[in-house]
Amino acid sequence: LVLGVKPQFLKQALEGLVIDKPILSMAAGISLETLAQLTTDSLPIIRIMPNLNAEILKSTTAICRNPFVSDSLFETAQQITDAFGSTFVLDEKDFDAFTALAGSSPAYIALFIEALAKAGVKYGFPKTTALEIVTQTLLATSENLLQSDQSPNDFIDKVSSPGGTTVAGLLDLEKTGFTASTVSAIDATINRSQQLSKRG
Ligand SMILES: NC(=O)c1ccc[n+]([C@@H]2O[C@H](COP(=O)([O-])OP(=O)(O)OC[C@H]3O[C@@H](n4cnc5c(N)ncnc54)[C@H](OP(=O)(O)O)[C@@H]3O)[C@@H](O)[C@H]2O)c1
């Protein structure tokens, strides 16, 4: 049974149902323990955290299970999540951090794309052209990193020629605290996710 209703409606959706089938829940912030309380003790329950890129079958999805889920059932669940992207088997305790790194980060990445595109507009590109340039570059950079064994730092060093343009931009980004501000945004996301989990 796949549970795909908004977390705030989950209780209402399950009310009065007698469930005797394994459950796969995608409800954000609803723990395996809460799901067991809302259904039946000792029911096999799998929890997943997909992201919006499921729309194009490229979700980055976390998955975990309770002790009643057999290996073969868990494998079947992973076949389902693999069908709409990539799957990461995690401990449930890591779901809040995963939610920040994969669930919310598409919004942060989109914000970075928007900022670069605005800079393009500032220097005379039409917005659509600037967006195309930036998104294609982002896609290629991600693919390049995924396909090679170089770290992002190796990649940065390769782009940064001595005395060149890139190092000037990189240093300027850090002047306004790019790395610290990114990590702080992830901290805020995890805090919020933990608050919502407690409430759920
Ligand atoms: N969107 C994301 O990127 C994302 C990421 C991670 C996790 N999730 C989780 O995925 C779930 C779905 O999110 P969504 O964005 O797809 O929401 P959504 O578009 O609002 O879809 C919710 C679905 O639940 C149905 N529904 C609502 N109340 C119901 C009830 N009482 N009984 C039976 N069905 C009911 C709705 O049916 P009607 O259309 O007929 O109203 C709709 O098909 C949520 O639990 C969310 O936390 C979403």
Side-chain angles (χ1 to χ4, degrees):
L1 182 69
V2 177
L3 299 178
V5 304
K6 295 274 188 204
Q8 64 269 32
F9 301 130
L10 197 63
K11 199 170 174 191
Q12 176 190 338
L14 291 172
E15 223 154 50
L17 295 182
V18 180
I19 298 171
D20 59 357
K21 290 189 167 35
I23 288 179
L24 186 150
S25 165
M26 68 179 87
I30 309 283
S31 67
L32 290 168
E33 194 186 337
T34 304
L35 286 162
Q37 283 162 4
L38 290 172
T39 54
T40 318
D41 275 348
S42 72
L43 200 65
I45 302 177
I46 292 166
R47 184 178 164 197
I48 65 169
M49 174 52 59
N51 72 15
L52 207 56
N53 290 326
E55 283 176 344
I56 57 161
L57 305 182
K58 290 200 171 170
S59 171
T60 320
T61 305
I63 189 167
C64 67
R65 60 176 158 174
N66 74 2
F68 306 107
V69 175
S70 67
D71 288 345
S72 77
L73 180 61
F74 200 48
E75 214 169 282
T76 304
Q78 285 173 62
Q79 282 167 7
I80 294 172
T81 53
D82 284 345
F84 56 86
S86 52
T87 308
F88 293 80
V89 178
L90 296 183
D91 288 340
E92 190 176 30
K93 69 174 174 46
D94 295 325
F95 262 51
D96 290 319
F98 183 89
T99 301
L101 286 185
S104 302
S105 75
Y108 312 150
I109 293 166
L111 184 68
F112 186 54
I113 291 172
E114 177 63 26
L116 285 174
K118 279 206 177 83
V121 173
K122 179 179 176 190
Y123 287 98
F125 286 105
K127 182 72 179 282
T128 47
T129 311
L131 272 175
E132 180 74 14
I133 293 169
V134 172
T135 46
Q136 290 292 357
T137 306
L138 187 113
L139 199 63
T141 305
S142 302
E143 278 175 6
N144 203 338
L145 283 172
L146 279 173
Q147 280 174 27
S148 68
D149 53 12
Q150 64 192 329
S151 71
N153 270 330
D154 295 336
F155 195 82
I156 290 167
D157 286 345
K158 255 167 59 183
V159 188
S160 312
S161 34
T165 53
T166 308
V167 74
L170 282 169
L171 289 172
D172 199 76
L173 269 176
E174 289 303 359
K175 206 160 66 186
T176 47
F178 185 71
T179 303
S181 133
T182 304
V183 176
S184 163
I186 296 299
D187 291 344
T189 316
I190 293 173
N191 284 340
R192 183 65 185 144
S193 182
Q194 285 169 344
Q195 275 173 10
L196 290 176
S197 300
K198 275 187 205 122
R199 213 173 57 186

